Amino acid sequence: MSKQTSKYVCQSCGYVSARWTGKCPNCNEWNSFVEEAVTPLKVVRKSGGIASKLNAISLTDVDSIADVRFVTGMAEFDRVLGGGIVTGSVILLGGDPGIGKSTLMMQVALHLKDKVTLYITGEESPKQVKLRVERLGKATSNIQLLPETNLELITDVIEQAMPDFVIVDSIQTLYNPNLESAPGSVGQVRESTGMLTRIAKKKNIPIILIGHVTKEGAIAGPRVIEHMVDAVLQFEGEKHYAYRILRGIKNRFGSTNEIGIFEMHDTGLREVLNPSEIFLSERTYGASGATIVATLEGTRPLLIEVQALVSTSNYGMPQRTSTGFDLRRLQMLLAVLDKRVGINTGAHDVFVNVAGGIRIDEPAADLGIAASIVSSLRDIPVDSQTVAIGEIGLGGEIRTIAHCDKRVQESAKLGFKNIIIPSTNAKKMKSTKDITIIGVETIQEAIKHLVGT
Ligand code: TYD
Ligand code: MG
């Protein structure tokens, strides 16, 4: 009988089976078996007791990570990682197919002129990769291409070549020949990540794993390895816009709320260093239903136009549609407007859109959204020189927001004249000759300032 190289483990209770089964005989869970490689346990026993040669290290003797980062020179990419790539770290770059993950990583590699990058390409042939590189700039000899998907061969090459940096495009194409399951299955993706992580730590080489994730997270893989890697970055954007946002979702070596903004051109991704100006360049003047909000993405303030369209509903069930803003939060805002201000949208369709394909996650945009809704409903435009920020509570109160000074500064820098902020924040701030600060306590008060009575 041939030696068994893989086993199936129930992800729910840990039950081990030699064969795949649909239902776990131990805990009765369905579809919980995932294939794993069988690794024989090596027992380390020395004469002086178990592992007497192993020594714990004092925390003060461990090298600090601050000095083992390297900057790639792509400022937006470095920012999201918290100041560059930490050596020996494993980073997962997820995103929809076609969003530009391979382009981004190739550009990073092209920037690293004094580092040897090993680019493992499991999806495209070297010719296809070269074709892309030709659009992006000049091919350099410090990038080595490896068209391979066999995990064992790949790890051998990494250990022999000892590159400074490894890019795996993509993790879903790799496979360990000892496992029966197909590349891209949960077992294979996890096995590949595990092996590459061990190499990264052992040889101190940073590895980037590219992974396809659909919006619904439908493709097996990247989600299940998020906990195994040091950082998870998500590359996202709307299909019809050129903007791409790189978002930190998890980062063991830095903060996670930084974003990097890029614009896709025919010659690759260009960094957007002054995003507010770009996002405001197409704004609508004089039309109702648009308000400028100052959101904070990581440490950087970003001025964006939020739009609403409120129209009479012709069907029984009024529609609520939102792009770039949480739909449940929108419903909450509509309920607060109804209950606290007496503005009822029960017979109207409400559409909310954040311009430029940006997604706003923070509640400070509440006030801007509410103002746009009321503005559209009454067909009264919000003053184009005004910025509105504030979180709306269920009682209709305008709640304190974080880093108000940064948002006010950015608004002043871009030439806005008035800024409406929560009264608690306003107490700590003074109007200047450039910008008038208006503190508001309730949503009624804010609406009065923004769209009249
Ligand atoms: P790609 O990096 O292949 O996406 P992913 O690896 O995430 O699947 O990029 C895909 C899209 O980007 C493709 O539709 C073409 C476009 N693109 C440009 O617009 N300009 C460019 O310079 C390059 C290289 C790609
Ligand atoms: Mg790709």
Side-chain angles (χ1 to χ4, degrees):
M1 201 183 122
S2 69
K3 203 167 151 269
Q4 196 159 6
T5 54
S6 73
K7 60 183 177 183
Y8 290 83
V9 182
C10 171
Q11 299 303 297
S12 171
C13 69
Y15 182 87
V16 180
S17 158
R19 236 157 274 102
W20 187 85
T21 14
K23 186 181 175 191
C24 176
N26 187 43
C27 69
N28 294 332
E29 190 74 33
W30 285 94
N31 276 330
S32 61
F33 279 91
V34 168
E35 190 183 23
E36 288 178 8
V38 173
T39 36
L41 264 182
K42 285 191 203 118
V43 183
V44 190
R45 275 185 199 277
K46 302 266 160 55
S47 52
I50 296 173
S52 64
K53 291 271 164 59
L54 285 179
N55 283 323
I57 335 167
S58 157
L59 191 52
T60 50
D61 293 341
V62 180
D63 288 342
S64 157
I65 57 160
D67 49 352
V68 283
R69 268 180 201 275
F70 64 85
V71 287
T72 65
M74 274 192 101
E76 295 292 288
F77 183 75
D78 291 334
R79 173 214 300 282
V80 177
L81 283 174
I85 299 174
V86 175
T87 49
S89 66
V90 179
I91 300 161
L92 170 68
L93 173 68
D96 291 343
I99 203 78
K101 301 179 294 297
S102 305
T103 308
L104 176 68
M105 285 330 299
M106 190 44 93
Q107 279 184 257
V108 167
L110 285 168
H111 262 84
L112 291 169
K113 292 208 169 50
D114 56 344
K115 300 253 187 276
V116 176
T117 301
L118 179 67
Y119 195 106
I120 295 157
T121 166
E123 286 183 0
E124 294 163 314
S125 68
K127 279 212 177 74
Q128 283 173 302
V129 175
K130 181 79 190 284
L131 218 60
R132 176 184 293 115
V133 173
E134 276 164 1
R135 289 174 77 173
L136 303 175
K138 215 168 162 297
T140 49
S141 59
N142 60 331
I143 302 177
Q144 305 281 320
L145 287 183
L146 178 66
E148 185 52 69
T149 52
N150 183 329
L151 193 57
E152 292 187 332
L153 298 178
I154 288 171
T155 48
D156 280 355
V157 172
I158 297 178
E159 288 196 302
Q160 276 162 27
M162 286 296 287
D164 299 308
F165 184 42
V166 176
I167 298 167
V168 176
D169 190 2
S170 66
I171 187 73
Q172 273 120 334
T173 56
L174 303 196
Y175 72 98
N176 180 343
N178 293 331
L179 300 188
E180 282 167 13
S181 43
S185 63
V186 175
Q188 288 283 14
V189 168
R190 214 158 55 179
E191 173 71 14
S192 308
T193 310
M195 263 172 101
L196 290 168
T197 307
R198 281 193 290 278
I199 282 214
K201 307 286 165 202
K202 198 165 95 188
K203 304 285 177 193
N204 215 17
I205 302 171
I207 302 186
I208 301 243
L209 308 174
I210 294 179
H212 299 294
V213 189
T214 60
K215 282 228 169 67
E216 302 75 36
I219 299 176
R223 292 261 167 258
V224 301
I225 55 168
E226 280 183 0
H227 69 281
M228 300 168 74
V229 298
D230 298 306
V232 180
L233 310 180
Q234 178 83 14
F235 204 36
E236 51 190 45
E238 293 289 326
K239 259 208 192 98
H240 307 292
Y241 291 94
Y243 301 113
R244 300 283 180 270
I245 294 176
L246 185 67
R247 219 178 262 280
I249 294 179
K250 163 182 168 175
N251 192 351
R252 283 189 184 145
F253 308 113
S255 98
T256 50
N257 44 18
E258 289 293 350
I259 64 163
I261 302 177
F262 299 86
E263 207 176 344
M264 184 64 100
H265 288 264
D266 52 359
T267 52
L269 292 157
R270 217 170 287 165
E271 297 177 83
V272 176
L273 299 172
N274 52 350
S276 297
E277 279 172 32
I278 295 202
F279 289 126
L280 293 181
S281 64
E282 290 179 350
R283 62 181 291 208
T284 42
Y285 287 94
S288 64
T291 312
I292 306 298
V293 299
T295 68
L296 206 69
E297 292 287 357
T299 51
R300 181 165 55 175
L302 194 60
L303 264 65
I304 317 178
E305 184 181 65
V306 293
Q307 306 173 327
L309 182 68
V310 181
S311 62
T312 313
S313 179
N314 291 321
Y315 305 100
M317 202 46 194
Q319 285 188 64
R320 273 88 183 86
T321 309
S322 175
T323 314
F325 187 75
D326 184 37
L327 188 60
R328 267 180 298 182
R329 189 128 197 120
L330 168 64
Q331 279 160 341
M332 186 276 277
L333 292 178
L334 293 175
V336 173
L337 280 173
D338 181 17
K339 188 93 178 169
R340 310 290 169 197
V341 201
I343 294 172
N344 186 297
T345 47
H348 294 85
D349 292 336
V350 179
F351 304 92
V352 164
N353 177 41
V354 178
I358 290 270
R359 197 184 77 215
I360 303 184
D361 281 332
E362 61 155 3
D366 288 356
L367 186 53
I369 304 264
S372 292
I373 292 169
V374 179
S375 159
S376 175
L377 182 73
R378 297 188 178 155
D379 206 15
I380 302 171
V382 173
D383 171 40
S384 63
Q385 301 284 314
T386 301
V387 173
I389 32 177
E391 176 182 348
I392 298 176
L394 291 182
E397 76 280 15
I398 306 293
R399 309 179 71 108
T400 314
I401 51 165
H403 302 292
C404 194
D405 47 342
K406 279 190 184 162
R407 305 176 203 246
V408 172
Q409 274 165 20
E410 179 80 359
S411 310
K413 201 172 96 192
L414 288 162
F416 286 90
K417 297 283 175 253
N418 313 302
I419 182 154
I420 298 191
I421 60 175
S423 60
T424 42
N425 287 105
K427 283 189 193 122
K428 297 180 206 130
M429 308 209 59
K430 279 204 181 78
S431 296
T432 63
K433 70 175 178 7
D434 294 326
I435 204 152
T436 310
I437 288 173
I438 304 160
V440 289
E441 245 168 66
T442 62
I443 182 163
Q444 291 95 316
E445 213 181 314
I447 294 290
K448 207 175 280 175
H449 279 291
L450 286 158
V451 271
T453 44

